[in-house]
Amino acid sequence: MANNTNLPRRIIKETQRLLSEPAPGISASPSEDNMRYFNVMILGPTQSPYEGGVFKLELFLPEEYPMAAPKVRFLTKIYHPNIDKLGRICLDILKDKWSPALQIRTVLLSIQALLSAPNPDDPLSENIAKHWKTNEAEAVETAKEWTRLYASGA
Amino acid sequence: MDSEDDMMDANDVESVDDDFYSGEMDADCYSDDYGDYDDDVDEDDDDDSGPDYDFMAEAADDSDVVAARSQLSYTVLKEEDIRQRQEDDITKVSTVLSIPREAACILLRRYNWSVSKVHDEWFADEEAVRKSVGLLDGPVVRFSDAELVCGICFDTLPRDRIASAACGHPFCKQCWSGYISTTINDGPGCLTLKCPDPSCQAAVGQDMVNALTSSEDREKYARYLRRSYIEDNRKTKWCPAPGCEYAVDFVAGGGNFDVACLCSYSFCWNCTEEAHRPVDCGTVEKWILKNSAESENMNWILANSKPCPKCKRPIEKNQGCMHMTCTPPCKFEFCWLCLGAWSDHGERTGGFYACNRYEAAKQEGVYDEAERRREMAKNSLEKYTHYYERWASNQSSRQKALSDLHQMQTVHLEKLSDIHCTPESQLKFITEAWLQIVECRRVLKWTYAYGYYLPEHEQAKRQFFEYLQGEAESGLERLHQCAEKELQQFLTAEGPSKEFDDFRTKLAGLTSVTKNYFENLVRALENGLADVDSHAACSKGTSAKVTGICKARATKGKGNGKSGGSSRNGDD
Ligand SMILES: [Zn+2]
Ligand SMILES: [Zn+2]
Ligand SMILES: [Zn+2]
Ligand SMILES: [Zn+2]
Ligand SMILES: [Zn+2]
Ligand SMILES: [Zn+2]
């Protein structure tokens, strides 16, 4: 824990709360050697194409946090119009709508909500968004398929 | 030196006209226009108006539209003026709406700094306006505890270390400072700063910025606010000259967008390119785009030396006028633009100034398709080269004239005043000549962009245009040469002389005549060359041409003048 000596109290408090009262379907724990790096797991929400899947993410708190947003990315492959091949997420609060009064918890809850409600009108992945808009049923099938293939068990 | 330009008989003003028009014209035609130019030269002591301005004001004599142009349609604002105006507007809104200064500021920014718009919207639906900018009526949360938890650092702190926007959401002062500073460093978005609570829309105004941040951040914020006052306001723009911090407040109307900043840069308020009257913004945009596309091909044109057409030695152009004289022993005098003998450009030889004209290479005989294409490609580049070179030469000539003018004002006038025992106030004719040269070079330059886009098939218009342009250009060359070269001898003279008085008459006369030529040119272009018909009707022969224009001009003053807009007829 050598580089964690100057960890702001806010990050320590947030971490403690994340561990003691985890949000339903979400777990986040800091890495042993870097308290700003979190291993995250989000369960696919019920009644979404991702139901039954376990999605791994990484979350990093930059030096400027909480004045700057955390950096979050999916590690598990996922078929979703707002998430690209590299796992990057299109979510306003991670960009211009970030506020220092938001927290890791609120960010992860927003990502979980994004899995329940894909938004193909503000896409990150053009192809998937197009698929979603032209043939939603088929796109949902693909998403389910990918969930089975890549997000089961882990 | 002046032997070649002896069209000016120094003491006989009337002969100016006769010489210029090859004696073919009816002298009455011009008497109205030229009769009073003596007075113009002597009495125009409006020193501080820029060259552009003067030019327009003088053009104002014969139509309402033109007259409207001569009125100041803009104001140049210095930093202090900007600050003052902004402060006045904020105070006005704050007083009328009975709201704090910073709230007035937020409202004004929201409605692009239009005081009347703020008033209208506010009194129409105050609640909606408040909501749209986050001006709350009162707090949405209230706390009675002595200590509060900061929503950013989560520390529990005594009240005096906590601050809130109107909503009441508590954040410690240190976190506020970090939050505001981060936003300010992200750019002008800081002017719409909101409470950090993600569910809250409460506005954060300048009062909080000033209370909670460093002086550096406060200054940055104030700068953004001032910038917004100019940039978000439809009536104002920054002067585009590099390093200039003045802004221009423009009042619409008159159809002319030329604006002269106090820094001496003239620009078009509409498109913010340099001033380009009488050519319209669309043509200028096309031309500039074309130039950047062709810039690699055209670099050679900007070169400052050309081989002398006679002895082939490279001759450097270090003067403003286009009349070149090769170094001894050759001493060949030629035109920088067309490389023809300068004697062909003079009036005395019967030569007709025509190096402004472009004539496509004749396509005679039978061409096969490939040959025809090659020929056309060559022609199109040739045509562009022709216009570009003249455009660029006038540009650099204008630059040279500007620095000569400066030199004149700072050094030479004083010297001349000493040598010729004349007060500097009586040497104004020299400054006026240079101002005229600077302005004419600018106009002439843009007429080459105009000429490039004037459709080939509009034969009559092209002819009319080239005639006017040629007359103006030839007049300008004489004026420029006189101001540049003939003046030299008086700078090194021993003392006062009769010749200096002659020189005064000649230069003042040339200034006035050239001004008239350019006024005609500008008027004709702004009129879309609409007078071409009356021109064509009587231009069967070269000699009739002059009479034709003469008539066209005479008509203008009465009827046509009123309809003169700045738009070129849109045939592209
Ligand atoms: Zn708030
Ligand atoms: Zn705090
Ligand atoms: Zn300026
Ligand atoms: Zn313009
Ligand atoms: Zn030579
Ligand atoms: Zn020439």
Side-chain angles (χ1 to χ4, degrees):
Chain A
M1 285 220 180
N3 60 350
N4 295 326
T5 43
N6 286 329
L7 206 62
R9 276 248 289 290
R10 151 147 179 176
I11 296 182
I12 296 169
K13 282 188 187 167
E14 270 199 77
T15 309
Q16 283 168 352
R17 238 190 105 209
L18 277 169
L19 295 173
S20 61
E21 334 160 16
I26 295 174
S27 87
S29 50
S31 142
E32 294 259 315
D33 49 325
N34 185 351
M35 292 287 284
R36 288 179 174 270
Y37 184 90
F38 288 75
N39 294 301
V40 178
M41 278 209 272
I42 296 181
L43 299 182
T46 51
Q47 286 171 0
S48 80
Y50 312 101
E51 182 171 359
V54 180
F55 296 88
K56 282 171 95 179
L57 297 86
E58 60 179 4
L59 181 148
F60 178 71
L61 303 176
E63 190 55 42
E64 303 79 31
Y65 184 83
M67 292 309 162
K71 312 230 175 285
V72 201
R73 171 172 96 89
F74 274 83
L75 296 173
T76 305
K77 241 169 105 94
I78 181 167
Y79 197 77
H80 189 290
N82 308 107
I83 300 165
D84 72 3
K85 284 204 292 255
L86 300 172
R88 291 177 302 192
I89 307 159
C90 179
L91 188 62
D92 57 358
I93 59 161
L94 291 177
K95 299 181 180 108
D96 54 321
K97 290 287 178 335
W98 171 254
S99 154
L102 291 166
Q103 302 175 27
I104 300 172
R105 174 188 300 269
T106 37
V107 167
L108 296 179
L109 284 168
S110 297
I111 294 173
Q112 194 182 42
L114 191 65
L115 295 186
S116 294
N119 177 14
D121 291 324
D122 183 20
L124 190 58
S125 173
E126 280 300 339
N127 288 340
I128 301 177
K130 209 163 143 198
H131 195 189
W132 224 272
K133 278 168 126 172
T134 51
N135 190 345
E136 189 172 338
E138 195 186 283
V140 166
E141 271 319 303
T142 312
K144 284 183 181 167
E145 177 75 22
W146 281 38
T147 306
R148 267 196 303 280
L149 279 172
Y150 307 110
S152 60
Chain B
M1 253 312 190
D2 52 56
S3 62
E4 216 147 274
D5 304 274
D6 55 354
M7 33 34 89
M8 281 292 294
D9 181 345
N11 297 313
D12 181 3
V13 164
E14 285 308 309
S15 76
V16 170
D17 298 338
D18 288 344
D19 270 352
F20 264 103
Y21 292 95
S22 323
E24 299 265 3
M25 53 164 287
D26 172 3
D28 284 350
C29 270
Y30 286 95
S31 57
D32 282 5
D33 285 329
Y34 283 178
D36 58 348
Y37 85 70
D38 259 344
D39 306 35
D40 285 354
V41 173
D42 293 329
E43 284 169 23
D44 183 10
D45 42 18
D46 190 7
D47 262 341
D48 41 23
S49 66
D52 289 356
Y53 213 71
D54 221 12
F55 191 76
M56 289 187 276
E58 294 297 331
D61 54 4
D62 70 351
S63 93
D64 293 348
V65 177
V66 178
R69 277 194 196 111
S70 72
Q71 275 145 35
L72 210 50
S73 58
Y74 61 89
T75 317
V76 180
L77 307 174
K78 295 181 180 177
E79 192 182 333
E80 201 37 55
D81 305 324
I82 299 170
R83 213 189 289 265
Q84 190 58 52
R85 280 181 175 225
Q86 187 171 27
E87 211 48 58
D88 290 350
D89 287 351
I90 293 170
T91 309
K92 225 177 283 168
V93 167
S94 160
T95 313
V96 174
L97 271 49
S98 307
I99 53 173
R101 187 193 168 280
E102 49 281 353
C105 201
I106 287 167
L107 283 176
L108 276 163
R109 201 214 52 80
R110 164 73 174 76
Y111 294 106
N112 297 323
W113 301 96
S114 161
V115 174
S116 59
K117 186 94 168 97
V118 169
H119 289 172
D120 290 352
E121 296 291 328
W122 182 269
F123 293 116
D125 191 347
E126 177 180 333
E127 202 181 327
V129 171
R130 278 184 176 278
K131 213 170 157 212
S132 80
V133 294
L135 285 180
L136 306 191
D137 259 334
V140 292
V141 286
R142 283 174 206 277
F143 300 94
S144 45
D145 322 68
E147 291 192 321
L148 292 170
V149 177
C150 166
I152 293 176
C153 66
F154 300 169
D155 284 346
T156 305
L157 295 159
R159 286 217 110 145
D160 62 340
R161 290 183 56 192
I162 296 281
S164 310
C167 54
H169 291 121
F171 303 97
C172 80
K173 289 177 179 171
Q174 199 182 339
C175 287
W176 267 114
S177 165
Y179 172 66
I180 297 175
S181 171
T182 305
T183 327
I184 288 175
N185 286 303
D186 272 356
C190 63
L191 299 180
T192 52
L193 196 62
K194 296 272 151 70
C195 164
D197 187 296
S199 64
C200 180
Q201 287 300 305
V204 175
Q206 196 175 17
D207 54 334
M208 286 192 77
V209 172
N210 287 344
L212 294 162
T213 59
S214 67
S215 62
E216 192 189 334
D217 285 340
R218 288 200 289 272
E219 183 40 47
K220 267 191 203 158
Y221 185 91
R223 245 194 329 265
Y224 280 128
L225 203 59
R226 213 147 51 234
R227 260 177 57 180
S228 161
Y229 185 70
I230 298 300
E231 289 164 24
D232 295 333
N233 194 327
R234 289 202 356 262
K235 280 167 45 226
T236 52
K237 277 178 189 171
W238 293 112
C239 166
C244 178
E245 302 206 328
Y246 298 148
V248 172
D249 179 25
F250 191 85
V251 185
N256 170 32
F257 292 111
D258 280 8
V259 152
C261 179
L262 293 175
C263 73
S264 88
Y265 184 72
S266 295
F267 65 98
C268 167
W269 198 85
N270 190 43
C271 69
T272 65
E273 287 297 339
E274 60 167 326
H276 54 69
R277 191 176 175 232
V279 179
D280 65 280
C281 301
T283 304
V284 169
E285 193 192 347
K286 264 194 292 186
W287 179 252
I288 288 173
L289 217 69
K290 173 89 181 156
N291 289 349
S292 63
E294 300 280 359
S295 64
E296 277 188 29
N297 291 332
M298 291 301 131
N299 274 339
W300 61 273
I301 278 187
L302 303 174
N304 249 350
S305 84
K306 287 184 180 182
C308 162
K310 200 169 167 202
C311 71
K312 306 298 174 207
R313 273 184 306 163
I315 301 300
E316 205 172 317
K317 184 174 190 298
N318 49 18
Q319 280 164 324
C321 84
M322 305 297 167
H323 180 170
M324 308 300 295
T325 306
C326 187
T327 46
C330 171
K331 287 166 115 183
F332 182 62
E333 295 181 43
F334 62 97
C335 165
W336 172 262
L337 290 173
C338 68
L339 296 180
W342 189 255
S343 52
D344 293 345
H345 292 67
E347 225 67 37
R348 202 178 39 168
T349 53
F352 187 68
Y353 191 89
C355 75
N356 60 318
R357 293 178 187 206
Y358 175 73
E359 291 189 41
K362 293 222 164 44
Q363 292 187 26
E364 282 165 352
V366 194
Y367 280 92
D368 67 19
E369 192 53 26
E371 243 175 311
R372 194 194 308 275
R373 277 174 183 284
R374 256 200 310 279
E375 195 61 25
M376 274 166 61
K378 205 182 99 205
N379 273 347
S380 89
L381 187 63
E382 239 173 47
K383 176 183 171 189
Y384 172 68
T385 307
H386 172 94
Y387 287 98
Y388 179 74
E389 174 167 26
R390 280 152 184 80
W391 181 82
S393 298
N394 278 292
Q395 157 86 345
S396 53
S397 179
R398 181 175 186 271
Q399 286 314 113
K400 178 73 170 54
L402 268 173
S403 74
D404 285 348
L405 169 63
H406 182 73
Q407 174 82 352
M408 195 58 63
Q409 286 168 322
T410 51
V411 184
H412 288 167
L413 281 186
E414 202 182 333
K415 207 164 151 192
L416 281 169
S417 166
D418 285 351
I419 297 175
H420 300 277
C421 306
T422 312
E424 275 191 48
S425 61
Q426 294 203 10
L427 294 175
K428 248 194 272 171
F429 72 97
I430 298 177
T431 319
E432 271 154 13
W434 280 104
L435 285 171
Q436 194 64 49
I437 292 168
V438 167
E439 169 62 8
C440 289
R441 287 288 173 202
R442 187 189 68 69
V443 171
L444 188 56
K445 173 179 118 172
W446 285 111
T447 63
Y448 279 106
Y450 182 93
Y452 179 76
Y453 290 108
L454 193 57
E456 217 94 32
H457 61 266
E458 300 249 28
Q459 272 300 333
K461 280 194 176 180
R462 285 199 77 88
Q463 255 183 29
F464 182 43
F465 164 67
E466 282 171 350
Y467 174 77
L468 290 173
Q469 189 190 39
E471 290 293 279
E473 182 159 356
S474 132
L476 174 58
E477 288 308 332
R478 283 161 218 283
L479 170 63
H480 204 156
Q481 165 151 328
C482 182
E484 191 172 46
K485 293 175 184 157
E486 290 172 38
L487 179 76
Q488 290 307 315
Q489 63 188 95
F490 301 108
L491 277 168
T492 51
E494 301 280 299
S497 63
K498 160 91 170 63
E499 282 75 42
F500 189 66
D501 289 334
D502 294 346
F503 171 74
R504 174 204 305 273
T505 315
K506 177 174 179 182
L507 189 63
L510 281 172
T511 304
S512 166
V513 165
T514 306
K515 179 191 277 184
N516 267 296
Y517 280 135
F518 275 81
E519 280 165 13
N520 288 340
L521 180 62
V522 165
R523 222 172 298 161
L525 296 201
E526 289 192 334
N527 211 8
L529 296 173
D531 290 338
V532 68
D533 295 337
S534 40
H535 168 63
C538 49
S539 69
K540 297 278 188 283
T542 332
S543 59
K545 198 175 276 177
V546 173
T547 328
I549 286 181
C550 181
K551 288 218 179 94
R553 201 132 73 92
T555 339
K556 254 213 96 220
K558 314 257 148 32
N560 269 343
K562 301 249 193 297
S563 65
S566 70
S567 65
R568 179 155 97 70
N569 60 328
D571 36 23
D572 291 314

